[in-house]
Amino acid sequence: MATERERKAPPEFVRRNNTRTRWFHAGTYLTVLLLSFTGWWLTLGAEGDPSVVSRLTHVSDTELHTWTGWGLAGLAVLGVVLGRRAVRTLLVDSARFRRTDLRWFLRWPGAVFTGRFPRHEGHFDPGQRVMNLVMILLLVALVVSGVGLVLVSGGPEFVWFNRIHRWSTYLLTPVLIGHIVIAAGLLPGYRGVWRAMHLGGRLRTRVAERLWPAWLERERAKSVPPRSGRPRVRAHRRPPR
């Protein structure tokens, strides 16, 4: 049974993401959400009827969609230029899969409700790795096709850019919804995970133990001070006479 002191002890926290990562993530999801809203508004044939956002900003939905798209493109370039090392780490870790990940996927449907996720060794869990790759591929397709639609006025190139843009939107929408549901902690197994990208990027240690055990172990190892004491002196053999 836990003692009174243990019950009243403040929860332990660990920082999952730094400030630069959190701000980049916030800028990305705000622009993507605005693009999704205005894009679906126009796709559903409501171009002549200004949306709520259009009325608040006094800018047409078409212009909002175009300028927000340029903003996302600029944000992507800025992220690659200023965060080359982080982008490389993201891509390398997301593309790395192990045989033990299959067991994680098999138990994932039940773990989202129970929180009993199998152990994995990566910075991201196997589900995050798949979602990272899918989202990056679809966002690149959206940005490239969107720029193409702005620069090309007609012809077969315009038709192909339009097809890629539409199908990328159709595929990205359910992925975004799933990401929001998981990242917001709406499922019991992911409760508390939203703190990883908000409020200083600090989340409860027990949440990190549940979702990213190997990463947490590495973070704890970094914070362990080196052992004190006299340095060990290597023994040298006596030279032959």
Side-chain angles (χ1 to χ4, degrees):
M1 182 179 294
T3 63
E4 188 69 21
R5 179 178 297 181
E6 289 173 341
R7 286 195 296 267
K8 292 184 178 180
E12 186 183 355
F13 289 84
V14 61
R15 188 184 301 278
R16 171 72 175 173
N17 295 293
N18 59 32
T19 303
R20 181 181 294 183
T21 301
R22 297 196 310 274
W23 276 107
F24 180 78
H25 181 266
T28 301
Y29 75 67
L30 288 175
T31 53
V32 170
L33 287 177
L34 183 56
L35 280 171
S36 299
F37 176 78
T38 54
W40 275 107
W41 187 268
L42 297 172
T43 299
L44 296 176
E47 184 174 352
D49 184 16
S51 66
V52 176
V53 180
S54 177
R55 293 172 185 173
L56 289 174
T57 58
H58 301 287
V59 179
S60 68
D61 291 293
T62 303
E63 289 181 316
L64 271 175
H65 191 77
T66 301
W67 286 111
T68 306
W70 282 116
L72 180 61
L75 192 63
V77 173
L78 188 65
V80 172
V81 172
L82 298 182
R84 294 187 297 272
R85 185 176 301 177
V87 171
R88 181 180 180 278
T89 301
L90 171 66
L91 293 175
V92 170
D93 195 81
S94 297
R96 182 178 298 161
F97 289 91
R98 304 166 179 87
R99 293 181 180 180
T100 54
D101 292 341
L102 179 60
R103 182 168 61 93
W104 189 95
F105 281 110
L106 292 175
R107 291 180 56 182
W108 179 77
V112 298
F113 299 103
T114 64
R116 298 174 182 173
F117 294 94
R119 181 183 173 88
H120 64 88
E121 300 300 323
H123 181 86
F124 304 103
D125 67 46
Q128 282 181 293
R129 295 174 213 160
V130 173
M131 184 170 289
N132 287 342
L133 295 176
V134 171
M135 289 185 68
I136 290 172
L137 178 63
L138 292 177
L139 285 174
V140 169
L142 277 171
V143 170
V144 172
S145 60
V147 172
L149 288 173
V150 173
L151 299 181
V152 177
S153 57
E157 294 86 359
F158 185 89
V159 174
W160 274 108
F161 282 135
N162 186 53
R163 288 178 180 173
I164 294 172
H165 204 72
R166 283 180 174 271
W167 278 104
S168 298
T169 301
Y170 299 155
L171 295 174
L172 182 63
T173 299
V175 175
L176 281 178
I177 294 173
H179 178 67
I180 292 171
V181 170
I182 291 174
L186 299 181
L187 297 172
Y190 289 97
R191 190 165 296 158
V193 73
W194 63 274
R195 287 178 174 268
M197 277 296 180
H198 303 87
L199 299 180
R202 298 169 61 87
L203 73 161
R204 296 176 188 270
T205 304
R206 64 172 180 265
V207 177
E209 288 175 343
R210 186 172 72 239
L211 298 174
W212 307 292
W215 169 81
L216 181 61
E217 290 171 3
R218 291 193 296 270
E219 290 298 307
R220 283 174 168 169
K222 293 177 184 178
S223 62
V224 175
R227 293 180 179 179
S228 58
R230 298 176 60 183
R232 297 179 60 185
V233 179
R234 293 183 61 185
H236 296 276
R237 292 183 178 181
R238 181 178 298 180
R241 293 181 180 180

